[in-house]
Amino acid sequence: MPFMISNAVEPGALAGRAQPTLPASGGLLLRPWAAKDAPALYEAFQDPVLQRWHARVADSEDEVRQWMETWRAEYEEETGAQWAAVDADTDEVLGRAALRMINFIDGQAEMAYWTMPRARGRGVAPRAVTALTTWAFDGLGLHRIELRHSTLNEASCRVALKTGYAAEGVQRSAVLHGDGWHDMHLHARIRG
């Protein structure tokens, strides 16, 4: 049965081109993850603060290399896109920004991000989120980007609000973390 409306974003918008490197303000770049980033990615997932908000842990650098291969496949399949947030001068990994659960039919995705412990408090997450949001709307053509975080994660809430993601409500007992079910704040931005 045919749809009455066309896709908000046509298939091939990602798979049809190489994953771009995106400039962000303040000497930050978002670039595709590379094999050389495995030590930094592994280190990030050893951080207790990051572990508190993520269900995933990394047991080895080989495991995170496999994650990067999965992320490349998700980009080609147009279901996700992951970037390393790096210092533009030194190429040091400072964090991550990603579009998850990309849905071209409705023109939607979910924003995800984290920052390396040594880079926290330097505005890395807001700059990365801003750059990726701009590209997702203007370069990719998405209509809506959602951002979710535990109601207990005040730092993520500050990033969401600082980058223009309006608070839309609370999803009760929505995500299982290591310490039990968390209520999640739902934020979103709409193109235009």
Side-chain angles (χ1 to χ4, degrees), residues 15 54 56 78 94 102 113 126 129 133 173 183:
H54 289 78
R56 188 172 228 180
E78 301 185 312
L94 303 175
I102 296 173
Y113 52 90
V129 168
T133 300
S173 195
D183 292 350

Side-chain angles (χ1 to χ4, degrees), residues 29-50:
L29 282 178
L30 301 182
R31 64 156 172 76
W33 288 94
K36 67 180 180 176
D37 300 324
L41 186 55
Y42 174 73
E43 176 190 342
F45 276 83
Q46 305 315 299
D47 173 39
V49 173
L50 194 137

Side-chain angles (χ1 to χ4, degrees), residues 5-77:
I5 58 171
S6 56
N7 290 353
V9 177
E10 288 304 314
L14 291 179
R17 58 184 170 178
Q19 185 174 352
T21 295
L22 308 173
S25 65
L28 188 71
L29 282 178
L30 301 182
R31 64 156 172 76
W33 288 94
K36 67 180 180 176
D37 300 324
L41 186 55
Y42 174 73
E43 176 190 342
F45 276 83
Q46 305 315 299
D47 173 39
V49 173
L50 194 137
Q51 288 177 356
R52 179 166 187 215
W53 309 119
H54 289 78
R56 188 172 228 180
V57 296
D59 291 329
S60 69
E61 289 182 19
D62 286 338
E63 181 179 5
V64 298
R65 283 186 195 92
Q66 291 172 4
W67 295 356
M68 287 186 252
E69 288 303 316
T70 299
W71 295 341
R72 276 189 269 291
E74 288 174 353
Y75 187 86
E76 287 299 315
E77 294 163 3

Side-chain angles (χ1 to χ4, degrees), residues 29-153:
L29 282 178
L30 301 182
R31 64 156 172 76
W33 288 94
K36 67 180 180 176
D37 300 324
L41 186 55
Y42 174 73
E43 176 190 342
F45 276 83
Q46 305 315 299
D47 173 39
V49 173
L50 194 137
Q51 288 177 356
R52 179 166 187 215
W53 309 119
H54 289 78
R56 188 172 228 180
V57 296
D59 291 329
S60 69
E61 289 182 19
D62 286 338
E63 181 179 5
V64 298
R65 283 186 195 92
Q66 291 172 4
W67 295 356
M68 287 186 252
E69 288 303 316
T70 299
W71 295 341
R72 276 189 269 291
E74 288 174 353
Y75 187 86
E76 287 299 315
E77 294 163 3
E78 301 185 312
T79 59
Q82 305 265 345
W83 281 265
V86 301
D87 182 288
D89 294 327
T90 66
D91 204 40
E92 175 189 8
V93 174
L94 303 175
R96 164 232 189 196
L99 295 173
R100 301 175 349 132
M101 299 184 282
I102 296 173
N103 175 340
F104 283 171
I105 294 170
D106 297 323
Q108 297 185 19
E110 181 178 340
M111 177 67 67
Y113 52 90
W114 50 256
T115 304
M116 298 289 287
R118 64 184 165 276
R120 291 187 185 130
R122 295 171 32 195
V124 170
R127 288 182 284 141
V129 168
T130 298
L132 185 49
T133 300
T134 299
W135 178 81
F137 286 147
D138 299 342
L140 186 56
L142 293 181
H143 172 72
R144 175 184 169 90
I145 305 172
E146 295 182 346
L147 187 159
R148 291 176 178 81
H149 63 81
S150 169
T151 57
L152 301 176
N153 190 339

